[in-house]
Amino acid sequence: MRNFNSIGVAVAGAGFIGPAHVEALKRLGVHITGILARGCAKSEAARQRLGLPRAYASYDEVLADHDVEAVHLALPNVLHYEFSRRALMAGKHVMCEKPLALHASEAYELAALANKVGLHAGVCYNIRFYPLNLDARARLKKMGRTFSVVGHYVQDWLLYNTDYNWRVIAREGGMLRAVADIGTHWMDLIVSMTGLKVDAVFADLRTVHKVRHRPTGEIKTFAGPSDVAREPVDIETDDTGCVLLRFKGGAQGVLWVSQVTAGRKNSLRYEISTEKGALAWNSERPNELWLGHRDKPSEVFLRDPALLSDLARGYTSYPGGHNEGFPDSFKGCFKAFYLAIASGAATDDVLYPTFEEGAYEVVLCDAILQSHREERWVSV
């Protein structure tokens, strides 16, 4: 088993999520070779701010660096396909932010390429790696048949028509936004925990703000309103959406997605009903797992490594009562990824979300968009 500090990793992207990757990699002891942002000046500013050894001037420079064994892509969605493909062709392992690509054909092309070249390729569905979600995954194996899954992923950072980010523009992020940006986190989590596969979807989506007022200057993701000059921009992407899911085997699902729900900063919630009980979890209270019973009092189980499943215990860093949250989920996801690389594990026997699984999420998005447009059930 290699040490993580022997694996050189470059990060592309210095916006909201790139530094989250850097922080998690540092905590794991992975050797970060440097960072790439949009332009030399921004790369150097990010290097200084994050305390990294190198600011890359271009992606070509990243791929030409022999010290780089893997790349992390925290870039606008429209770049995911091309940057992932180039990295794999250059012999680099890839950890890409979601969605893997804007179209299913591109996503499956990347999955096939990763398999062909024999490199590890993951999609950053980090929410899998909250310890209690891993524990729920282990519990569900013993709870019999799943009847239903209901839940939501809701936020408020795009509530006002003056809220703006590149994600709202279809050519940058794709025609689906709320569903692709946060809804896929929920769907990936449910599929990975339950083992269910979606048979068909029925979707009703809505663009609440058909015109947003874009700042003529630059603002950061999740930044508050500011007194800047603005210009109107037509919006096609979804602010909200309701998706019915019919799973193979008969289970039913309901997902509500919104980026315009006031007061909900980042709430992913699920409730899973099975023949031997129920489970519920909310990302805004990530150290609590509700356990529902019929013939005895229901419980709230607090995260405690002494009581967790073996799977979850391996991705828990602190004792009970010492809460773990959003940054720790990235650490867990990357731990699974670099354990696979360091151990020489086969690319088809891994815990991290693979390109194949990332491609499946793009297929679901395509079906959801088609369902919304045609107002009917669409098979997956």
Side-chain angles (χ1 to χ4, degrees):
M1 172 77 77
R2 296 169 57 190
N3 291 325
F4 282 3
N5 62 14
S6 70
I7 304 172
V9 178
V11 177
F16 164 63
I17 214 68
H21 283 235
V22 170
E23 191 267 347
L25 291 168
K26 283 185 173 182
R27 291 173 63 200
L28 284 170
V30 175
H31 172 53
I32 306 175
T33 61
I35 191 163
L36 172 68
R38 287 189 175 183
C40 294
K42 291 185 177 181
S43 293
E44 176 57 24
R47 183 199 70 78
Q48 293 183 26
R49 184 174 70 254
L50 298 170
L52 300 177
R54 182 173 179 180
Y56 291 100
S58 68
Y59 195 51
D60 287 334
E61 192 173 290
V62 171
L63 299 182
D65 187 348
H66 296 296
D67 292 333
V68 174
E69 192 170 339
V71 295
H72 281 232
L73 302 178
L75 304 161
N77 301 350
V78 71
L79 301 176
H80 290 179
Y81 165 74
E82 183 61 22
F83 276 53
S84 294
R85 186 188 66 81
R86 290 179 61 191
L88 291 170
M89 294 296 292
K92 315 292 186 184
H93 305 288
V94 180
M95 173 57 68
C96 183
E97 272 296 330
K98 47 70 197 163
L100 178 57
L102 299 186
H103 307 288
S105 58
E106 293 178 342
Y108 276 115
E109 179 187 332
L110 291 174
L113 177 59
N115 183 62
K116 178 181 178 180
V117 298
L119 292 166
H120 287 280
V123 183
C124 190
Y125 285 115
N126 58 294
I127 297 176
R128 288 190 188 189
F129 289 89
Y130 281 94
L132 286 181
N133 285 336
L134 292 173
D135 193 68
R137 179 174 179 162
R139 288 174 183 270
L140 285 164
K141 293 182 184 298
K142 305 173 184 178
M143 293 178 66
R145 185 161 59 95
T146 296
F147 298 146
S148 64
V149 184
V150 298
H152 69 225
Y153 200 153
V154 293
Q155 303 171 324
D156 72 357
W157 69 288
L158 292 172
L159 175 60
Y160 303 126
N161 65 11
T162 52
D163 293 324
Y164 181 84
N165 178 269
W166 61 262
R167 291 172 176 83
V168 305
I169 301 301
R171 66 175 179 273
E172 291 284 327
M175 283 302 301
L176 281 184
R177 186 229 309 155
V179 169
D181 187 32
I182 56 178
T184 56
H185 268 299
W186 189 92
M187 293 186 292
D188 172 80
L189 180 62
I190 296 307
V191 168
S192 67
M193 289 195 306
T194 64
L196 295 171
K197 291 293 185 182
V198 179
D199 186 48
V201 298
F202 196 119
D204 182 26
L205 312 179
R206 184 183 176 197
T207 304
V208 174
H209 296 302
K210 297 185 182 299
V211 175
R212 287 183 179 270
H213 298 276
R214 176 173 60 191
T216 54
E218 192 171 309
I219 59 173
K220 294 182 178 180
T221 302
F222 301 120
S226 56
D227 295 325
V228 297
R230 296 177 181 272
E231 60 185 3
V233 178
D234 292 333
I235 303 298
E236 301 176 89
T237 56
D238 50 307
D239 289 310
T240 66
C242 181
V243 183
L244 299 180
L245 303 112
R246 190 164 59 208
F247 295 99
K248 297 182 189 301
Q252 297 172 296
V254 180
L255 167 62
W256 171 251
V257 178
S258 171
Q259 292 179 318
V260 292
T261 298
R264 292 298 185 188
K265 303 307 176 184
N266 192 55
S267 174
L268 181 154
R269 186 184 185 279
Y270 62 76
E271 185 168 311
I272 302 173
S273 172
T274 77
E275 57 188 348
K276 295 183 180 179
L279 296 170
W281 181 84
N282 188 332
S283 64
E284 292 187 339
R285 303 179 68 91
N287 291 275
E288 300 177 5
L289 181 68
W290 180 82
L291 306 174
H293 306 294
R294 165 71 184 273
D295 299 320
K296 62 179 181 179
S298 296
E299 309 166 70
V300 174
F301 172 57
L302 301 180
R303 184 199 58 79
D304 183 345
L307 303 175
L308 291 171
S309 65
D310 290 342
L311 174 64
R313 190 178 303 117
Y315 288 85
T316 303
S317 299
Y318 301 106
H322 298 74
N323 288 340
E324 297 183 52
F326 182 75
D328 303 285
S329 66
F330 284 88
K331 179 185 172 188
C333 184
F334 302 160
K335 177 180 179 180
F337 187 66
Y338 287 102
L339 278 174
I341 293 174
S343 66
T347 55
D348 60 352
D349 183 25
V350 296
L351 185 62
Y352 66 80
T354 65
F355 269 23
E356 188 77 22
E357 291 170 304
Y360 180 68
E361 293 300 317
V362 181
V363 168
L364 291 178
C365 284
D366 285 353
I368 288 168
L369 183 59
Q370 181 183 352
S371 172
H372 167 69
R373 287 172 169 173
E374 299 178 5
E375 298 185 344
R376 65 178 181 86
W377 282 96
V378 171
S379 297
V380 177

